[in-house]
Amino acid sequence: MTDIPVAPPPKSRLRLALESDVFYTFRRSPVAVISALVVLVLLVSAIFAPWIASTNPFDPASLNLMNGFTPPLEPNAFTGDSFLLGTDDQGRDVFSTILYGMRISLFVGVAAVAFAMVLGITLGLISGYVGGWVETIIMRVADVQLTFPSILVAMLIFGIAKGITPVEYRDQMAIWVLILAIGLSDWVQFARVVRGATLVEKNKEYVQAARLIGRKPGAIMLRHILPNVLSPVLVIATISLALAIIAEATLSFLGVGAPPTQPSLGTLIRIGQGFLFSGEWWILFFPACTLLALALSVNLLGDWLRDALNPRLR
Amino acid sequence: MLAFIIRRVGQSLLVLLIVGLVAFSMFNFVGDPIDNMLGQERTAEDIARLREQLGLDRSFFVQYFRFLQEALQGNFGVSYRQGRPVTDILLERAPATLELAAVSGVLAILFGIALGVFTAIRRDGIWAHAIMSASLIGVSLPTFLIGILLIYVFSVELGWLPSFGRGDVVTVGGWKTGFLTESGLKALILPSITLGLYQMTLIMRLVRSEMLEVLRQDYIRFARARGLRDRAVNFRHALKNTMVPVITVIGLQLGAIIAFAIITETVFQWPGVGLLFINAIQFVDIPVMAAYLMLISVMFVGINLAVDILYFFIDPRLRADRTGGH
């Protein structure tokens, strides 16, 4: 038996990820681990809401008006039914409405950020790479939009879009209008960061080499520059997600967002506020806690990611 | 310097013109005002008469020109929902919002600066740490939840303060004020805390970080070496030099307070401009939306312009940079 030095087998992707610096700092930060767990639990329960929820709160057949205003974990005076988090005025199980509401909140949040990201990255790449008057126009628009608070911009877009859609489609379209409004109010950050990074990258040798061998500008932007500017984008996306969830909740709470037929967490809080004075605190309390947990943990995760991906701060 | 000011004013006017175009397009392409103003039982004559009354039968350019002309005179037409001139409605509602914003602004500035200085001077104390952690949670809390929480504690449970409205108001020279009655002052407390809290945390964190930066400088060390008392060093030397960026941010936040008043006014049913705007969105009342948009743009653009120009007077370094570059 002779000892032949054997090269170690190539590491799998999972192994590489587990041994990376980012994962190391993740394990060492209890705040990040707990927030990630909270986000994961909420995300999974939102996705599997139809299987977890005891009733579908939007199926009128499953509702019993006699069950209205049942406090949490107490049997109803008429039917004897008991609910984990109580019921609202129409006898809907609050736990189920929260699961379904979170689904809408998360869907709107993720879709709005994705929209803002695609728009922002595209405009940022173009203005950084192409330059000239295209850049001037895009960045001027960004500057103008930045002078106004994004929630105000979102409200205005929502108002205009609502006016354009015919009355009978307004409730159905509300979710999409919301995504459009929040996405359009949030693209500027992505565009600015991507433009800044592109300006740095486009003078590097690998880009010049790609240009020399005759690759088209579109291909250079997407295949060469984009992968190198993604890490700040990831950080902004996480923090934007927390902001988008809060923005959606705020708009819905104000009555200019998700309609009562498709309630998000914000709509549920709006409905619950009406019962604050009559003592049915649970209709408001539990959706509010869920929203807080969601927004806070995504926010903390974003903070951690920012520190982890920024070597200067380490 | 004059060239810079002229250019900035020109840019501001351009922004306002663009916003004006957006506002005008809203009139033209969004919804049908006739639909909104007349009920189900309308006749063709009703529609024709109203179209003429509102000037909707004219061409695009005539309407745009008229819009600009009227807007410059502060006339934004008639609210589709209330059937009254928008300017009247806005003027009637403005005092409520301005009083709320003023009180929140003062609260935010006073407490923000005081807490910022405190957390900077006692940076390792238990209280400073507690305040900083609380401010982190405060930033993540949506404004409307803070309002609801305050209502729950102080109106529902304790019953000390009213949860909605402005209380009794007194008219002084056409201005309806809530400052002069007990119920008016009581009604101001919760909404102004709700509105001011976010700006307060912002100012506090800024003052703290600026102050920590300044306290590290040599001239502070020198002042201490001269044997000056802590109080004199902290307030006369350090605080004074942190104020330049702080004043800028405060200026920019003034506009934000009025915009965010929309949320607070809805939570507390405060009869101000913000609540009017939200109701206008819900009912697609375009003239009110457009007028609010123009009003708030003039404010934001004006504040930005003022802050930029103020910089020249406050910070001589900037002056040298700009003029040297041209």
Side-chain angles (χ1 to χ4, degrees):
Chain A
M1 237 170 36
T2 47
D3 276 333
I4 303 170
V6 182
K11 290 173 179 173
S12 69
R13 280 194 169 212
L14 180 69
R15 235 190 123 84
L16 273 178
L18 287 179
E19 284 173 7
S20 70
D21 285 359
V22 173
F23 189 74
Y24 177 77
T25 62
F26 177 73
R27 266 189 327 190
R28 293 290 297 266
S29 157
V31 175
V33 173
I34 293 172
S35 338
L37 276 179
V38 172
V39 172
L40 199 69
V41 167
L42 292 177
L43 194 69
V44 167
S45 44
I47 292 172
F48 295 102
W51 292 276
I52 300 172
S54 48
T55 52
N56 179 353
F58 308 108
D59 174 16
S62 72
L63 299 179
N64 183 354
L65 272 180
M66 298 293 278
N67 274 332
F69 297 128
T70 313
L73 291 175
E74 274 175 42
N76 182 279
F78 305 106
T79 60
D81 293 346
S82 163
F83 300 89
L84 181 62
L85 303 181
T87 62
D88 68 2
D89 55 330
Q90 299 175 39
R92 281 192 294 226
D93 174 29
V94 170
F95 180 63
S96 310
T97 53
I98 288 178
L99 287 179
Y100 279 84
M102 203 159 60
R103 241 182 167 197
I104 292 172
S105 288
L106 274 169
F107 175 67
V108 172
V110 170
V113 171
F115 176 50
M117 211 159 95
V118 171
L119 190 66
I121 288 176
T122 313
L123 292 177
L125 275 177
I126 293 175
S127 61
Y129 190 78
V130 179
W133 60 270
V134 180
E135 181 185 18
T136 313
I137 289 182
I138 294 175
M139 290 338 276
R140 275 312 289 171
V141 171
D143 282 347
V144 170
Q145 198 177 321
L146 219 56
T147 35
F148 300 95
S150 59
I151 189 94
L152 192 70
V153 177
M155 274 178 201
L156 206 72
I157 296 170
F158 185 89
I160 295 173
K162 189 178 174 182
I164 294 172
T165 43
V167 179
E168 56 270 30
Y169 295 113
R170 271 183 196 165
D171 271 9
Q172 294 169 30
M173 294 294 293
I175 298 291
W176 300 103
V177 169
L178 210 50
I179 293 171
L180 181 83
I182 297 174
L184 278 181
S185 70
D186 202 34
W187 65 273
V188 177
Q189 293 216 44
F190 291 101
R192 288 192 142 199
V193 166
V194 170
R195 172 180 164 269
T198 306
L199 285 177
V200 175
E201 296 291 325
K202 84 170 176 187
N203 292 323
K204 289 197 177 159
E205 280 165 0
Y206 71 92
V207 176
Q208 289 174 351
R211 219 180 294 170
L212 264 181
I213 60 171
R215 295 213 72 170
K216 296 210 171 67
I220 293 177
M221 279 188 253
L222 287 179
R223 300 296 301 265
H224 299 280
I225 297 180
L226 182 60
N228 287 305
V229 301
L230 269 184
S231 76
V233 168
L234 201 65
V235 175
I236 298 180
T238 323
I239 294 172
S240 285
L241 180 62
L243 292 178
I245 289 171
I246 288 180
E248 185 280 327
T250 305
L251 289 175
S252 297
F253 173 79
L254 296 177
V256 291
T261 48
Q262 277 175 297
S264 71
L265 291 174
T267 323
L268 293 178
I269 293 169
R270 176 185 170 83
I271 296 170
Q273 198 202 6
F275 302 109
L276 195 57
F277 278 92
S278 45
E280 285 90 13
W281 53 272
W282 59 89
I283 306 177
L284 169 69
F285 181 73
F286 295 116
C289 287
T290 316
L291 174 67
L292 258 189
L294 190 61
L296 194 63
S297 48
V298 175
N299 222 337
L300 289 172
L301 212 55
D303 271 359
W304 163 78
L305 197 65
R306 185 185 53 204
D307 296 348
L309 290 183
N310 190 345
R312 265 177 307 167
L313 290 175
R314 235 186 273 155
Chain B
M1 168 160 179
L2 193 66
F4 169 77
I5 291 180
I6 291 173
R7 210 175 58 225
R8 278 299 281 117
V9 171
Q11 281 171 355
S12 305
L13 285 179
L14 189 70
V15 170
L16 285 181
L17 267 179
I18 295 170
V19 175
L21 194 69
V22 171
F24 173 69
S25 315
M26 277 160 57
F27 275 104
N28 253 270
F29 302 115
V30 179
D32 186 358
I34 306 292
D35 249 10
N36 292 314
M37 286 175 82
L38 293 176
Q40 292 289 319
E41 293 150 27
R42 58 192 172 198
T43 60
E45 292 101 81
D46 282 345
I47 294 174
R49 201 181 50 224
L50 199 62
R51 281 193 86 82
E52 205 193 308
Q53 214 177 344
L54 298 175
L56 293 173
D57 50 349
R58 316 284 182 82
S59 79
F60 182 91
F61 290 105
V62 174
Q63 286 191 47
Y64 182 42
F65 187 70
R66 265 191 53 194
F67 172 81
L68 281 183
Q69 219 177 9
E70 298 284 323
L72 280 177
Q73 294 167 8
N75 185 1
F76 288 94
V78 174
S79 159
Y80 293 163
R81 190 162 155 252
Q82 304 190 25
R84 293 167 51 209
V86 175
T87 319
D88 290 1
I89 304 175
L90 279 176
L91 284 178
E92 188 183 293
R93 294 241 184 175
T97 299
L98 289 176
E99 284 185 2
L100 176 62
V103 175
S104 331
V106 170
L107 279 182
I109 293 170
L110 285 183
F111 283 94
I113 293 180
L115 288 175
V117 170
F118 175 79
T119 47
I121 295 175
R122 303 266 157 83
R123 61 180 299 192
D124 293 319
I126 296 174
W127 279 106
H129 277 292
I131 293 170
M132 285 308 286
S133 320
S135 79
L136 235 171
I137 299 173
V139 171
S140 320
L141 262 175
T143 314
F144 66 95
L145 277 186
I146 294 174
I148 292 176
L149 192 72
L150 289 176
I151 290 182
Y152 182 70
V153 174
F154 293 101
S155 305
V156 179
E157 286 297 312
L158 298 172
W160 290 351
L161 297 166
S163 65
F164 67 91
R166 289 182 81 183
D168 296 324
V169 288
V170 181
T171 311
V172 181
W175 177 286
K176 279 188 189 154
T177 177
F179 285 148
L180 298 175
T181 62
E182 201 199 322
S183 70
L185 287 174
K186 266 185 161 178
L188 256 171
I189 298 174
L190 293 185
S192 53
I193 292 177
T194 309
L195 182 55
L197 208 60
Y198 181 77
Q199 323 294 335
M200 189 198 85
T201 39
L202 214 68
I203 293 174
M204 179 192 111
R205 298 184 137 244
L206 181 76
V207 170
R208 176 177 177 273
S209 62
E210 290 291 330
M211 186 103 175
L212 286 177
E213 191 68 32
V214 170
L215 283 175
R216 243 177 260 144
Q217 304 285 324
D218 286 343
Y219 64 84
I220 297 292
R221 278 204 200 158
F222 179 64
R224 285 197 203 286
R226 267 161 63 205
L228 292 178
R229 289 171 190 282
D230 272 356
R231 180 182 279 275
V233 174
N234 288 334
F235 290 94
R236 213 168 303 148
H237 291 76
L239 184 60
K240 232 182 185 175
N241 283 297
T242 58
M243 287 323 275
V244 174
V246 173
I247 287 173
T248 321
V249 169
I250 288 174
L252 292 177
Q253 289 302 315
L254 274 180
I257 282 188
I258 294 192
F260 284 121
I262 298 171
I263 301 167
T264 308
E265 286 180 8
T266 311
V267 176
F268 291 93
Q269 290 299 303
W270 188 265
V273 185
L275 191 60
L276 181 77
F277 178 63
I278 276 295
N279 290 333
I281 293 183
Q282 279 162 357
F283 293 97
V284 198
D285 192 345
I286 300 292
V288 175
M289 278 167 71
Y292 183 84
L293 174 67
M294 289 305 292
L295 195 76
I296 210 131
S297 323
V298 169
M299 213 172 60
F300 270 103
V301 171
I303 288 173
N304 268 314
L305 184 66
V307 167
D308 268 10
I309 292 177
L310 256 182
Y311 252 11
F312 268 98
F313 295 102
I314 296 178
D315 197 338
R317 280 170 300 182
L318 225 91
R319 239 175 328 201
D321 275 3
R322 295 271 177 139
T323 42
H326 283 278

